[in-house]
Amino acid sequence: QTYSGPFIQEKRYADMYYSYPQQREAVETWARSDVDQYQLPMISIGEEEYEEYSRIYTAVTEYRDKALVEFVMGVRPIEEFDQYVSEMRDLGLERMLEIQQAAYERYQKK
């Protein structure tokens, strides 16, 4: 599970960390949002799918992280983004999403 949002443990940290008014405004806006209604529930991948899902997930996330740095640093031109998407598909991204969708559908039936 991943988490996103304004998680502040100490107010003094926030005062120091968010030095621009826009940063503080963004945190306040996020806190007032209805993001919770769009969060996916905790779903379980079936035992029979877990090994396949885990293998694909590892390959996809490692490649994604490497490519992201390359795009941001300018090592890889943005014109290669379509190639990046194709390579993600070749790694099994669509199968990984199918497994997640099946797990979500099982959750919905409960």
Side-chain angles (χ1 to χ4, degrees), residues 9-95:
Q9 296 178 348
E10 170 63 51
K11 184 181 180 332
R12 291 175 297 177
Y13 171 78
D15 291 341
M16 178 183 68
Y17 186 75
Y18 301 121
S19 58
Y20 295 105
Q22 299 90 334
Q23 291 171 303
R24 291 183 179 156
E25 182 180 330
V27 170
E28 291 171 11
T29 299
W30 185 264
R32 289 190 310 269
S33 75
D34 60 351
V35 70
D36 290 341
Q37 72 179 354
Y38 301 105
Q39 296 287 335
L40 286 175
M42 291 293 291
I43 58 175
S44 298
I45 305 295
E47 284 184 41
E48 65 283 352
E49 301 163 319
Y50 184 76
E51 186 177 320
E52 179 184 16
Y53 179 86
S54 181
R55 178 181 46 77
I56 296 169
Y57 179 84
T58 299
V60 164
T61 55
E62 286 177 0
Y63 180 69
R64 178 205 61 202
D65 293 348
K66 178 179 181 277
L68 175 63
V69 170
E70 291 174 345
F71 282 123
V72 169
M73 299 300 292
V75 173
R76 187 169 183 182
I78 197 65
E79 291 80 18
E80 292 183 12
F81 188 78
D82 289 341
Q83 178 185 347
Y84 160 76
V85 171
S86 177
E87 291 165 351
M88 291 285 277
R89 287 187 175 127
D90 291 345
L91 290 171
L93 179 64
E94 290 175 354
R95 175 64 183 142

